[in-house]
Amino acid sequence: MTTTAQFTHYLQDTKPMQDAKLTAKSHATHSSVVALNEQVSVGDRDLLIIGGPCSVESLEQMETIATRLGHQTVQALRGGVYKPRTSPYAFQGLGETGLTILDRVRRRYQLPVITEVMAIHQIEAIAAYADALQVGSRNMQNFDLLKALGEIDQPVVLKRGLAATVQEFVMAAEYIAAHGNTNIVLCERGIRSFDPYTRNVLDLGAVVALKQLTHLPVIVDPSHAAGKRELVPNLARAAIAAGADGLMIECHPVPEESVSDARQALSLEAMADLVESLRPIAAAVGRSVPTANGDRRQLALV
Ligand code: PEP
Ligand code: MN
């Protein structure tokens, strides 16, 4: 006999599989590979390492990061220009000036760039200047924004909401897919819990589950989960061991001087050391960390 409690549990257990159509594992014969540009993709054997500051602050800052980390350590750059800040009095991002900085760096260094979109009216400009659009945690269930992102072709990096269940996360991705864009990358960035010691709790169980439930690439952002730079490297290594397809990590030429999220930013040296340390872990799980001498670099130089 099935009790109500068992039945509820059964529904919760199977709902993502039942409701998600286009993003469900059963919809595709293979895991999806999402291309950020002609050289760089995520979801294949090679891991995707994305690095950069929380906020784009200046051209010099972004050029320093691209020069020091580009291709050898990271295959893509991140940097927010429209920032979702808790306080309206905090730095809100450079806006369009920041977009032109990202565009300059992506062309000059042949590195794809990813930046956050907060509103529908920003989509056109961001799509013109960036390779992938990030939906931040605070907007994971902004359904109008998700629908509008379904109308474009560019990849969308969808971050898990601060308190979103795995099912809600999958269904948010389904909104983008249902409206026409299946270039979606899921990003686990920690969920809110009772303990402020870590800013959020990195949910590696969700990473494993998302890989089983969907065919989409899943990356991990250990920076916003940790909130403290000293926690980031081990969380990043654990994420790769758990089967993540890549990482998005905040780093800065002078971490203490970051205009936002300074406490969690890695130095560029620490970022390079971290990526080197991933190699044996990646190999152990059948993945690899791209090298500057690999195909991507040669293609990028053409
Ligand atoms: C960010 O990536 O800078 C950011 C604001 O992340 P999240 O939406 O995960 O808080
Ligand atoms: Mn940040």
Side-chain angles (χ1 to χ4, degrees), residues 71-151:
H71 302 284
Q72 177 66 46
T73 299
V74 303
Q75 297 80 49
L77 295 176
R78 62 148 288 146
V81 302
Y82 298 105
K83 295 301 302 176
R85 305 305 301 282
T86 301
S87 167
Y89 309 114
F91 176 67
Q92 302 286 305
L94 291 182
E96 281 193 31
T97 307
L99 285 181
T100 59
I101 292 172
L102 288 175
D103 189 44
R104 201 156 147 197
V105 173
R106 96 207 250 237
R107 287 173 197 280
R108 179 149 183 212
Y109 297 89
Q110 302 264 349
L111 287 164
V113 299
I114 297 159
T115 197
E116 179 165 348
V117 58
M118 293 212 298
I120 293 174
H121 69 85
Q122 296 163 351
I123 293 177
E124 199 178 329
I126 296 179
Y129 289 120
D131 298 276
L133 294 86
Q134 171 178 321
V135 176
S137 290
R138 290 151 193 83
N139 272 314
M140 190 207 80
Q141 285 187 314
N142 180 339
F143 298 116
D144 281 349
L145 180 62
L146 300 177
K147 288 178 193 173
L149 290 167
E151 308 288 328

Side-chain angles (χ1 to χ4, degrees), residues 192-209:
R192 218 174 239 197
S193 185
F194 59 89
D195 188 347
Y197 188 82
T198 56
R199 187 176 179 185
N200 292 286
V201 175
L202 184 63
D203 185 1
L204 291 181
V207 174
V208 178

